[in-house]
Amino acid sequence: MSVLAKALVAMSLLAALVVGIPVLGYVVALGMIEGRPTPVQADAGPALSCRNQIVMRMRVLDAFRVRESATGRVTLAPGHEEAAWVARRHLSQLPRTGMLRWHFQSAALHVWIVRHWTPQQITDTARRGGACRTPARR
């Protein structure tokens, strides 16, 4: 095998690892969650985030985008905070697991919700669940 062929094989394996590890993490974390949250019946009208911004569509997330948002490199668009809240609320109703596992499950469920629910279902579920309440001032 020539040096060029070996280099191509090595680069292909490296690319498969870089892409495969987050995807595998997503699938494993999603598989560890008991059940999925169900959306409420969406109201007619525009989907409003907790900051009263109209959410027309949501950018589809993947494991890479969630990692960037967790590190503060990317600000999530309106509606994603509500999706993350719905994911955290669902996980808080399940038996406790370790913190690292909980974070992976939360990120995976956030991605799943954005991919499978409409923006209106996400924002209405969060609003009816109490995500938009302002904390009491002391």
Side-chain angles (χ1 to χ4, degrees):
M1 192 188 272
S2 71
V3 174
L4 181 60
K6 288 180 183 178
L8 286 174
V9 168
M11 292 301 290
S12 298
L13 288 174
L14 182 64
L17 281 175
V18 167
V19 171
I21 289 175
V23 171
L24 182 64
Y26 167 74
V27 170
V28 169
L30 202 57
M32 291 188 296
I33 300 171
E34 296 175 24
R36 302 285 181 272
T38 55
V40 298
Q41 186 67 28
D43 294 332
L48 289 175
S49 70
C50 286
R51 297 180 184 177
N52 289 326
Q53 296 172 315
I54 295 177
V55 182
M56 297 301 286
R57 66 180 186 85
M58 294 182 68
R59 183 176 184 177
V60 176
L61 291 179
D62 53 31
F64 299 104
R65 185 68 50 187
V66 169
R67 179 188 55 81
E68 289 175 351
S69 69
T71 59
R73 295 184 200 159
V74 168
T75 347
L76 293 176
H80 284 284
E81 291 177 18
E82 289 79 5
W85 184 89
V86 171
R88 288 191 309 268
R89 181 170 180 239
H90 179 75
L91 290 175
S92 71
Q93 297 168 352
L94 299 177
R96 300 280 186 238
T97 59
M99 186 56 67
L100 184 63
R101 182 176 172 179
W102 185 88
H103 280 289
F104 278 119
Q105 289 174 337
S106 178
L109 192 55
H110 180 184
V111 170
W112 183 86
I113 288 169
V114 170
R115 288 179 175 261
H116 291 87
W117 291 12
T118 65
Q120 193 146 18
Q121 288 174 321
I122 293 170
T123 56
D124 287 354
T125 301
R127 281 182 173 279
R128 289 188 192 161
C132 299
R133 293 184 194 139
T134 55
R137 296 186 185 246
R138 297 179 186 200

